[in-house]
Amino acid sequence: MKVLVIGKGGREHSLVWRLHQSETVWKIFCATGNPGIDQIAEAVPIAPTDVAALLEFAKSKSVDLTVVGPDDALPTGIVDQFTSSGLKIFGPTAAAAQLESSKSFAKTIMREAGVPTADFEAFDDAASALRYVKSRKGSMVVKADGLALGKGVVICHNTATALEAITDAMQRRRFGAAGNRVIVEEFLTGEEISFFALCDGEHAVPLGTFQDHKAIFDGDRGPNTGGMGAYSPVPQFGPEQEARVMREVVGPTLAAMNARGIPFRGLLFVGLMIDGDRMNVLEFNVRFGDPECEALMMRLDSDLAENLLAAAEGNVANASIRLSPRSAVAVVLASGGYPGEYKKGIAIHGLDRLEGNVPSDIKIKWAMKKIRVKVFHSGTAMRDGQLVTDGGRVLTVTAMAPELATAVDAAYEAGQMIEFEGRHFRRDIARRALG
Ligand code: AMP
Ligand code: GLY
């Protein structure tokens, strides 16, 4: 197969890395790639949202399978256009991608499907939203309907904050059109867990449980980021609970989407809030999470290209999809200042020590403990032969081992070998699971 991967972050590096190991893949293109990806794939200088150019490219190279990484490429209808040109592509259509791009759409589907989720109301005008909020007591959550780079959700512990959040989104138009509609929902407490399912429109296969670490600082303090670390599987969330998510969330959601004539194909990322026996869906995403994907790609034991092709072709029920029972952890090395302003172009040192030059004492230790370590590039660039920082999240250091604690130690040991001015990472990734 010739495969085209769309995107340029750590998620896409891990996808390309796994595809590179696939026996059925002999050529990988990546639009646009990064210095890590470029070592194993041919870089294609086309933006992920330039659908016309990507389609032209895929046709001209007779690409057998295209894999869409980032969320912003999906609502453009890239999957619709590739499919109608007879090309195979992994991901949802623009209509199905509304499960992520419109929170009110997702909530309506959940309500129709009987999927457990926080009670909510949707509003298209500020006056009614403000009136509704004044009529409620206690904590609530105000969400801009559209994609707002993860900044559209405000947890409000009093009415004044909720009124401010609505004014911000609907009157000051802080998120542009994404805030034309707002939803107000019940505030939930508990433990947040993510669940992945590979879907082909009709059937789905579970693809792991994860816990993300969204806040920038240890102890979940500070502003939210795209994700500072993740681990998989989540030990507190066993096979019975996984079966429950498939039964109560994934199955009914696929059925409700089908009933509307917009079958969901691709990766369904279910954000859950778990509180004892209570399980509620916080949100859906329609693509692999980052850095969850990096941890998942370490654990995947089957042929990624065949698995994604099966989803695109409506055939996951017959696909061989296997996850290692080992634990994987991903720790993000970020630029100083992120998620606020940060500098780019800072030299990165020490990565070569992990790529083929691991000191022999560490190498022996890792081998004895069955540890595997891999560093994925997220925001890096090559300037005059020197690897430099080029984004907020710079590198994702990923490790897998039979025990989660061992994987965590190895990821930190490897992370410490990589240096760049201002480097920041959380020191408590997976601590909740380790107790
Ligand atoms: P979302 O983009 O909808 O996942 O929201 C972002 C984050 O806001 C989630 O990861 C939760 O931490 C928090 N959140 C969202 N909805 C709720 C809710 N109903 N109750 C409590 N926290 C929430
Ligand atoms: N790490 C969360 C996400 O990719 O949405």
Side-chain angles (χ1 to χ4, degrees), residues 123-346:
F123 300 96
D124 289 313
D125 72 289
S128 344
L130 294 169
R131 211 174 316 119
Y132 175 75
V133 160
K134 282 185 206 154
S135 75
R136 287 189 54 138
K137 288 199 177 59
S139 299
M140 57 196 121
V141 184
V142 174
K143 301 182 175 184
D145 187 58
L147 294 175
L149 296 170
K151 298 192 169 70
V153 175
V154 186
I155 309 284
C156 310
H157 292 296
N158 55 54
T159 314
T161 318
L163 295 175
E164 181 67 17
I166 287 166
T167 308
D168 233 19
M170 302 188 92
Q171 291 173 331
R172 295 190 198 112
R173 301 181 56 80
R174 196 177 148 211
F175 313 111
N180 286 351
R181 176 178 287 175
V182 152
I183 68 173
V184 181
E185 66 177 46
E186 177 197 358
F187 173 71
L188 300 172
T189 53
E191 189 81 6
E192 278 187 57
I193 283 168
S194 309
F195 180 94
F196 286 9
L198 189 70
C199 307
D200 69 2
E202 198 72 43
H203 298 101
V205 176
L207 213 54
T209 53
F210 305 83
Q211 198 157 37
D212 190 11
H213 298 65
K214 286 197 173 114
I216 184 74
F217 299 125
D218 287 13
D220 296 325
R221 287 173 305 110
N224 271 354
T225 68
M228 291 298 290
Y231 64 92
S232 175
V234 179
Q236 318 85 289
F237 204 76
E240 271 156 50
Q241 278 155 304
E242 286 200 37
R244 185 173 167 206
V245 182
M246 291 301 286
R247 197 170 61 238
E248 293 182 18
V249 179
V250 179
T253 300
L254 291 190
M257 294 294 281
N258 259 326
R260 289 197 174 211
I262 41 175
F264 183 86
R265 288 194 194 92
L267 196 283
L268 187 65
F269 170 140
V270 184
L272 294 162
M273 185 75 97
I274 309 292
D275 189 3
D277 280 343
R278 251 166 57 112
M279 179 185 83
N280 278 291
V281 176
L282 285 176
E283 64 162 345
F284 286 133
N285 292 320
V286 299
R287 33 92 200 160
F288 292 103
D290 192 344
E292 290 89 338
C293 188
E294 288 92 310
L296 172 62
M297 289 303 118
M298 292 294 272
R299 290 188 59 212
L300 190 77
D301 263 345
S302 46
D303 187 311
L304 179 63
E306 286 188 343
N307 293 167
L308 300 182
L309 190 63
E313 290 180 331
N315 205 17
V316 296
N318 298 316
S320 155
I321 298 170
R322 288 183 314 276
L323 284 187
S324 164
R326 294 184 188 186
S327 291
V329 63
V331 176
V332 172
L333 307 186
S335 295
Y338 173 77
E341 276 179 36
Y342 54 84
K343 278 193 256 171
K344 287 184 184 180
I346 297 172

Side-chain angles (χ1 to χ4, degrees), residues 45-73:
I46 305 176
T49 47
D50 189 350
V51 179
L54 289 169
L55 182 59
E56 206 44 54
F57 176 83
K59 279 190 199 159
S60 74
K61 300 286 182 189
S62 309
V63 166
D64 299 293
L65 174 68
T66 298
V67 180
V68 186
D71 56 345
D72 55 353

Side-chain angles (χ1 to χ4, degrees), residues 76-92:
T76 61
I78 185 168
V79 172
D80 309 64
Q81 291 197 41
F82 271 60
T83 308
S84 55
S85 296
L87 293 174
K88 303 244 165 69
I89 182 161
F90 175 78

Side-chain angles (χ1 to χ4, degrees), residues 73 109 114 161 263 296 363 388:
I109 291 287
T161 318
L296 172 62
K363 208 174 188 169
V388 298

